[in-house]
Amino acid sequence: MWVLLYQPKRAVVVADEEMSFAVEAGVCLWGDQALRIAFPQLAIANDTHQGLKATRSRFTTNGSQSMWRYYWFHASLVLWNLTFGVHFPRVTHWWRIEPDTLFAGGWPSLLLHLSPQARKRRNDSMLEQARHADVLLPHLITSSIDIESYPHWKYNLNVVAGVPRRLWTYSLVSIGRYSVSFMHAMTERWAQGTIGYEEILLPLTCVQLGSRCLLRSLHRLRPPQTASTRRMHSASRASQKAEARIAHISDHFRYRPPWRCEAFLRAAAAQAQGLWHPVKNRKCWVDW
């Protein structure tokens, strides 16, 4: 596991040994200047893209200081790969998880549950497709479901150009898994200066790759089975509401409002094996 620590003015990508030792994981420092050096055309697009400017103007005014950064934040994965990827030649997929996404269980159990190498589950084609997906995101929403309320379509006409309206798709990207082949495709797009809101750009890039890219979501996937979750399911048979709360990995994954830390803590203590987002205040979890 690596922590990608964003420092806006940083021009050189390095590992911070002191912080890495403190958190018992690699800490990679990166910044805007490093991204501009690695991708000059992306830097030009970043300065000239009208949709990005409109997003920054509209949502910064509304108090969302970082939303406009979702036009290029995932490119940090490529910066990490250019610097450290040579040491991990057997990697097939990369997970990216934001700090306000928590898992009520051990992260290894979820990652192994969704691994392409995991033991095959008979009669669960959704899970098997998710395991082999090139792009795995929380919940895929098409324009036919949400064309009016989602504000970013109109700012990303360059991304949706040439894509049939029925295939327009977006997803939150607070957690996502990407195959190496997909990241190679994204590296090419960023090198060419292609920029777009990543909730749209990432899934639609996969759509445009056709048969070379499998796009799937975590929506309605069953969680990993542990001794704890089996006890919970057994104990909750008399209560449909209780069973529903742990039915799927993403049952507690949403855009807003934020979850209270104490609500997540109860699920984590019970090893409920579900994703929770957003959990902005995580103090009770840290203290626990």
Side-chain angles (χ1 to χ4, degrees):
M1 182 178 76
W2 282 75
V3 177
L4 272 61
L5 184 59
Y6 174 60
Q7 298 177 337
K9 296 182 180 180
R10 173 167 288 278
V12 179
V13 180
V14 297
D16 188 296
E17 294 185 5
E18 185 175 343
M19 282 194 281
S20 297
F21 179 80
V23 302
E24 299 181 349
V27 176
C28 170
L29 307 181
W30 71 283
D32 296 341
Q33 293 304 313
L35 201 61
R36 286 175 170 273
I37 293 169
F39 296 106
Q41 294 302 313
L42 189 65
I44 294 172
N46 185 59
D47 294 336
T48 59
H49 190 278
Q50 295 303 309
L52 187 155
K53 290 182 179 180
T55 300
R56 186 170 188 175
S57 175
R58 172 179 174 178
F59 293 100
T60 300
T61 302
N62 293 339
S64 300
Q65 298 293 329
S66 63
M67 189 171 287
W68 58 276
R69 294 189 176 117
Y70 279 95
Y71 278 80
W72 42 263
F73 235 40
H74 277 68
S76 61
L77 293 173
V78 180
L79 290 182
W80 176 90
N81 187 53
L82 291 172
T83 309
F84 305 106
V86 66
H87 302 297
F88 303 93
R90 298 176 63 185
V91 167
T92 60
H93 294 79
W94 300 348
W95 282 93
R96 181 184 179 276
I97 304 168
E98 296 183 358
D100 63 353
T101 300
L102 302 181
F103 182 64
W107 278 107
S109 68
L110 177 65
L111 305 190
L112 290 172
H113 178 61
L114 295 172
S115 168
Q117 287 77 41
R119 183 177 179 180
K120 189 172 182 178
R121 284 275 189 93
R122 294 182 179 180
N123 303 319
D124 196 340
S125 60
M126 286 179 59
L127 175 60
E128 290 305 316
Q129 289 182 40
R131 285 173 168 174
H132 292 87
D134 293 281
V135 177
L136 183 61
L137 295 170
H139 187 190
L140 301 172
I141 303 172
T142 65
S143 61
S144 62
I145 298 173
D146 186 4
I147 188 65
E148 298 297 332
S149 64
Y150 188 64
H152 299 287
W153 298 120
K154 62 183 178 182
Y155 300 138
N156 289 270
L157 297 180
N158 66 305
V159 178
V160 301
V163 180
R165 175 76 60 98
R166 62 184 173 79
L167 297 179
W168 290 13
T169 306
Y170 77 91
S171 171
L172 295 178
V173 290
S174 314
I175 183 172
R177 192 195 67 186
Y178 312 97
S179 70
V180 169
S181 61
F182 175 76
M183 289 309 301
H184 285 164
M186 285 305 307
T187 301
E188 291 179 2
R189 298 203 76 180
W190 285 318
Q192 294 165 1
T194 301
I195 199 169
Y197 197 62
E198 291 172 336
E199 291 184 2
I200 299 173
L201 178 64
L202 295 173
L204 274 195
T205 295
C206 189
V207 168
Q208 291 171 312
L209 288 171
S211 61
R212 292 179 292 157
C213 187
L214 179 62
L215 174 64
R216 290 294 182 267
S217 82
L218 298 168
H219 185 56
R220 302 194 66 79
L221 291 186
R222 295 285 182 179
Q225 287 294 303
T226 66
S228 176
T229 55
R230 283 192 289 270
R231 286 195 299 270
M232 290 182 67
H233 278 291
S234 176
S236 67
R237 283 173 184 166
S239 170
Q240 291 184 353
K241 290 185 178 179
E243 189 168 351
R245 283 199 295 270
I246 56 173
H248 305 109
I249 291 171
S250 60
D251 281 350
H252 293 87
F253 199 100
R254 64 191 185 192
Y255 173 45
R256 59 186 178 191
W259 292 101
R260 294 179 65 249
C261 183
E262 291 75 14
F264 166 74
L265 184 60
R266 288 192 293 272
Q271 290 287 298
Q273 303 295 305
L275 286 167
W276 287 64
H277 174 274
V279 186
K280 299 295 185 182
N281 182 348
R282 299 175 292 280
K283 184 177 185 303
C284 77
W285 178 231
V286 174
D287 292 343
W288 191 75

